[in-house]
């Protein structure tokens, strides 16, 4: 692993294609992992049901917390670039057992994000078809499409994958922003008193809405998995992480304000609206844009599947090289230079549980929510450990001890712990109340396996 400010880090490529991605294509990996189009369509109405007129403020606070974590990640990625993503950062500082917990938490996060996107895709596709004419497509076929096509693209070429993700997200977010602008134009550029004065907001509802708002940012670190494939990674990756946090924060906060405003103008309750962007498009005077956004959301779920499974395969590849996954996961395609075995394993790991749940009658919306929650736990633990490890990394390896490098990581660590604890108390109802304990059981299993398997110490050759 390389350190220092050199723009040619001595990073082991692990058989991946070196310097294949431009800075914009590297940014696409982080943006697509977040799936910003899904927040106004899915997540924001749920946040409104909790935070009410303070939804925009919840997203503003969530942006602040995410920026603290993004700052910590960007500091690490100025010195280190690896396809092992955040795991490679903490592996240099934390004890082996704790870095192992981090690596497998992050892997679960990426796999959970992938499975969540698959569930959301087949649910939303059939919901739109039912709304249009009562037809449905078999869940197995839809799940196979949204798993198989991204897998093929991720195997075929990282550059093609990045460009497709970038095009999808740019188009869908642009349409959403256009609708938001139309709503503001129709309303007039004056404030909404109910939102500006936070009318009807309760402290408990705001806190729960804030936790949900944090979920919208999960995966913003996706560019860090491109450590071997990004061009000029010590510059492009930290920039991509910070730019994603800033862009998504502004976009989500704007959506939080305008979507609540537009629903009120349409005479609807945003918290119970089935197709909230349809109402906003109607208020804006172009109802057809609601359907366009629906299609954009479907493609965003596709891009999210592609981004998360790409990151998961890179991490699994590095874990195998570290002796923490089966040796077969080390294989890369000789001409495509993509992690063939790791991609296949990741695809199977997300496809099978989704299909089993669908076969027993579980709604795609539940699949989206359950796996999304599991993935968020993994991201939260990973982000917390990165922030915890940063001061020691800078102090011990680079002799840096400043007020910022001391205070910011601890603030970010506290924010992530707060998010994690908020999922444990008050205890959520139904399946969501059991998911935190399922996640803890997973971490327990990881520690048990680690205790029975000595960690392989494989030297990383310097690249010319």
């Amino acid at each position: 692993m390389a350190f220092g400010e050199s723009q040619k880090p001595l990073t082991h490529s692990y058989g991946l294609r070196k310097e294949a991605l431009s800075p914009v294509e590297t940014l696409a990996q982080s943006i697509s992992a977040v799936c910003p189009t899904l927040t106004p369509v899915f997540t924001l109405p749920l946040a409104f049901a909790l935070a009410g007129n303070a939804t925009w403020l919840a997203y503003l606070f969530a942006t602040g917390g995410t920026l603290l974590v993004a700052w910590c990640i960007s500091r690490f990625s100025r010195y280190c670039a690896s396809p092992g993503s955040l795991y490679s950062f903490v592996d240099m500082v934390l004890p082996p057992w704790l870095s192992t917990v981090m690596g497998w938490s992050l892997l679960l996060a990426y796999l959970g994000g992938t499975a969540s996107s698959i569930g959301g895709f087949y649910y939303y596709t059939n919901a739109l078809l039912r709304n249009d004419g009562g037809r449905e497509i078999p869940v197995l076929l839809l799940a196979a499409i949204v798993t198989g096509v991204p897998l093929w693209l991720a195997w075929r070429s990282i550059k093609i994958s990045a460009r497709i993700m970038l095009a999808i997200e740019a188009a869908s977010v642009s349409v959403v922003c256009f609708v938001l602008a139309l709503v503001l134009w129709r309303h007039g550029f004056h404030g909404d008193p109910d939102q500006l004065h936070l009318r009807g907001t309760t402290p408990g509802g705001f806190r729960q809405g804030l936790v949900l708002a944090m979920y919208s940012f999960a995966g913003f670190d996706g560019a860090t998995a491109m450590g071997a494939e990004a061009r000029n990674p010590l510059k492009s990756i930290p920039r991509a992480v910070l730019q994603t946090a800033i862009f998504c924060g502004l976009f989500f906060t704007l959506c939080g304000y305008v979507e609540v405003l537009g629903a009120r103008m349409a005479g609807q309750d945003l918290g119970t609206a089935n197709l909230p962007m349809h109402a906003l498009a109607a208020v804006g005077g172009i109802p057809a844009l609601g359907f366009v956004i629906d299609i954009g959301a479907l493609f965003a779920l596709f891009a999210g599947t592609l981004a998360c499974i790409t990151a998961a395969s890179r991490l699994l590849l590095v874990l195998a090289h570290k002796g923490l996954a089966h040796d077969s996961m080390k294989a890369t395609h000789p001409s495509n230079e993509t992690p063939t075995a790791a991609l296949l394993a990741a695809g199977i790991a997300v496809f099978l549980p989704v299909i089993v749940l669908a076969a027993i009658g579980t709604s795609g919306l539940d699949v989206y929510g359950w796996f999304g929650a599991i993935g968020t736990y993994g991201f939260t633990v990973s982000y917390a450990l990165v922030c915890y490890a940063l001061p020691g990394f800078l102090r011990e390896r680079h002799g840096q001890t400043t007020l910022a490098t001391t205070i910011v990581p601890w603030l970010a660590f506290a924010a992530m712990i707060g998010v994690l604890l908020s999922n444990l108390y008050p205890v959520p109802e139904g399946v969501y109340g059991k998911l935190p304990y399922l996640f803890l059981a997973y971490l327990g299993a990881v520690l048990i396996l680690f205790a029975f398997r000595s960690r392989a110490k494989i030297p990383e050759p310097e690249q010319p």
Side-chain angles (χ1 to χ4, degrees), residues 102-348:
M102 156 66 161
W104 284 90
S105 292
L106 188 58
L107 180 62
L108 183 65
Y110 288 141
L111 294 177
T114 307
S116 177
S117 294
I118 295 170
F121 182 86
Y122 74 70
Y123 167 80
Y124 204 55
T125 299
N126 279 332
L128 292 177
L129 290 174
R130 285 194 301 270
N131 188 62
D132 185 50
R135 299 172 305 230
E136 285 192 9
I137 297 176
V139 168
L140 179 61
L141 177 59
L142 289 173
I145 291 171
V146 78
T147 305
V149 175
L151 267 178
W152 180 82
L153 288 170
W155 171 80
R156 180 64 183 84
S157 169
I158 183 60
K159 196 170 186 68
I160 293 174
S161 299
R163 289 180 175 179
I164 290 174
M165 289 187 289
L166 180 63
I168 289 173
E169 293 298 342
S172 57
V173 169
S174 296
V175 176
V176 173
C177 287
F178 184 61
V179 170
L180 298 180
L182 289 175
V183 172
L184 287 175
W185 178 263
R186 287 298 180 95
H187 179 261
F189 293 94
H190 52 85
D192 179 9
D194 287 345
Q195 293 192 73
L196 296 179
H197 293 93
L198 310 180
R199 287 175 184 163
T201 302
T202 63
F206 178 78
R207 180 180 62 82
Q208 294 177 30
L210 175 59
V211 172
L212 196 56
M214 289 293 299
Y215 290 176
S216 293
F217 291 88
F220 76 93
D221 60 291
T224 59
M226 302 294 103
E229 295 156 292
R231 197 177 308 152
N232 204 357
L234 300 185
K235 282 188 176 180
S236 61
I237 290 176
R239 286 176 179 172
V241 170
L242 286 170
Q243 288 168 353
T244 299
I246 293 170
F247 165 75
C248 289
L250 293 174
F251 177 68
F252 294 156
T253 303
L254 177 64
C255 286
Y257 177 81
V258 179
E259 200 163 336
V260 172
L261 174 65
R264 186 175 296 122
M265 292 171 64
Q268 293 190 6
D269 178 6
L270 181 60
T272 58
N274 291 325
L275 299 170
M277 297 309 296
H278 281 235
L280 261 67
V283 169
I286 310 180
L289 288 180
F291 177 74
V292 174
I293 292 174
D294 288 337
I295 300 301
L298 288 178
F299 279 107
L301 287 163
F302 178 93
T305 301
L306 179 55
C308 287
I309 209 163
T310 297
S313 66
R314 270 66 180 170
L315 177 56
L316 192 54
L317 173 73
V318 173
L319 290 175
H321 278 274
K322 292 291 185 177
L324 298 174
H326 195 272
D327 284 349
S328 62
M329 299 297 106
K330 298 178 184 178
T332 54
H333 194 274
S335 58
N336 295 344
E337 296 177 279
T338 52
T340 304
L343 278 167
L344 182 60
I348 293 172

Side-chain angles (χ1 to χ4, degrees), residues 356-398:
V356 169
L357 287 173
I360 62 176
T362 306
S363 164
L365 190 60
D366 285 333
V367 171
Y368 175 82
W370 295 349
F371 281 105
I374 287 287
T376 302
Y377 300 149
F379 279 122
T380 305
V381 169
S382 301
Y383 296 159
L385 288 176
V386 165
C387 299
Y388 174 75
L390 179 63
F393 170 77
L394 294 177
R395 181 179 60 252
E396 296 168 10
R397 293 179 177 265
H398 301 283

Side-chain angles (χ1 to χ4, degrees), residues 5-17:
E5 297 291 351
S6 168
Q7 294 310 306
K8 289 187 178 180
L10 302 178
T11 302
H12 186 14
S13 68
Y14 297 97
L16 302 173
R17 181 165 297 170

Side-chain angles (χ1 to χ4, degrees), residues 21-38:
L21 301 179
S22 69
V24 175
E25 291 165 342
T26 303
L27 175 64
Q29 177 67 28
S30 277
I31 294 288
S32 298
V34 174
C35 291
T37 309
L38 299 186

